[in-house]
Amino acid sequence: MRKGAATRLRIVEAAAAEIRERGTNATTLDDVCRRSGTGKGQMFYYFPGGREQLLLAVAELEAERVFDDQQPYLNELTSRAAWEAWRDLIVERYRDQGLHCPLGVLIADVGRYSPAAQAVSAQLVRRWQECVRAGIEATQAAGEANPALDADRTAAAVIATVQGGVTVLLSTGSAEHLEAGLNLCLDHLLSWPATNEIASSPPPRRTSRTGSPARAAKSAEE
């Protein structure tokens, strides 16, 4: 990485760290300069638009981290085992990150600061939903998910469940609701094969002690 790019990244990461700890409103450019070891001149060289441009860069950084935190499973959701591994990773990662998780920064703080930052959040949700939808379709094609489910609507519900669970986590410090919500989503998505097999099985044929149904009917006539 070139020196200029490295300096810019250091400023953005410092701003992101300050916002995670203090919130957008309490974070000043002086705080970011002090944390990144840069001066105001460097700050405005890389971010001539000042605070708003820097917050947009933070939103973009955190959006990428949301995806990085879900790899390699997000792009490999093709089976029950893959979905369960993805769920476990999300719950563990967000439980460990707690109040400092990048998704929380986006949905609860910087992502609401400006229309440009909101656009970054909206793009994240669309991209994320496309990945989950592709995983649902692949799992349906493999015969491990209910083919009757609308993949796009189900993907939207999964994303909403994660975001809702993270919101509760930010309020309570507990990932219990996030885990419960994802478990319910996966049950809905992946329980089809066993349920379908039971539902589609023909009822057992009743036979008499005399043998086949035909013989039983003949005996009854006699």
Side-chain angles (χ1 to χ4, degrees), residues 4-203:
T7 301
R8 184 183 186 281
L9 178 59
R10 190 167 75 250
I11 293 172
V12 176
E13 288 181 334
E18 287 288 329
I19 290 170
R20 290 191 206 108
E21 294 175 5
R22 303 159 57 114
T24 299
N25 292 333
T27 298
T28 67
L29 294 182
D30 288 335
D31 295 327
V32 177
C33 287
R34 181 169 54 254
R35 188 160 193 150
S36 62
T38 58
K40 281 287 187 67
Q42 287 177 296
M43 172 76 70
F44 284 99
Y45 174 80
Y46 292 107
F47 302 98
R51 177 183 173 85
E52 184 169 343
Q53 186 179 2
L54 176 58
L55 290 177
L56 177 60
V58 170
E60 293 169 342
L61 176 68
E62 298 295 62
E64 285 303 313
R65 283 177 170 166
V66 169
F67 274 87
D68 291 343
D69 282 347
Q70 299 179 63
Q71 299 302 346
Y73 301 109
L74 182 60
N75 294 331
E76 300 176 358
L77 298 174
T78 59
S79 66
R80 173 182 293 273
W83 281 98
E84 291 175 346
W86 173 74
R87 174 204 58 200
D88 293 345
L89 176 68
I90 284 185
V91 172
E92 180 181 1
R93 188 67 54 87
Y94 287 160
R95 180 186 288 124
D96 291 344
Q97 292 172 342
L99 300 178
H100 299 159
C101 74
L103 183 58
V105 172
L106 275 176
I107 65 177
D109 205 328
V110 69
R112 301 185 298 177
Y113 182 77
S114 70
Q118 288 178 339
V120 171
S121 297
Q123 183 180 15
L124 163 68
V125 171
R126 285 194 298 270
R127 180 182 167 196
W128 193 359
Q129 185 170 331
E130 288 171 0
C131 289
V132 174
R133 184 191 65 215
I136 292 171
E137 291 172 343
T139 311
Q140 288 173 323
E144 294 194 44
N146 189 343
L149 292 177
D150 183 296
D152 197 53
R153 291 182 63 189
T154 304
V158 171
I159 301 305
T161 296
V162 176
Q163 292 200 16
V166 168
T167 300
V168 175
L169 185 152
L170 294 175
S171 301
T172 66
S174 171
E176 180 181 351
H177 293 79
L178 172 63
E179 185 172 10
L182 281 175
N183 284 340
L184 191 61
C185 285
L186 265 60
D187 286 345
H188 181 64
L189 174 65
L190 302 172
S191 63
W192 174 78
T195 303
N196 184 70
E197 181 179 348
I198 294 172
S200 62
S201 297

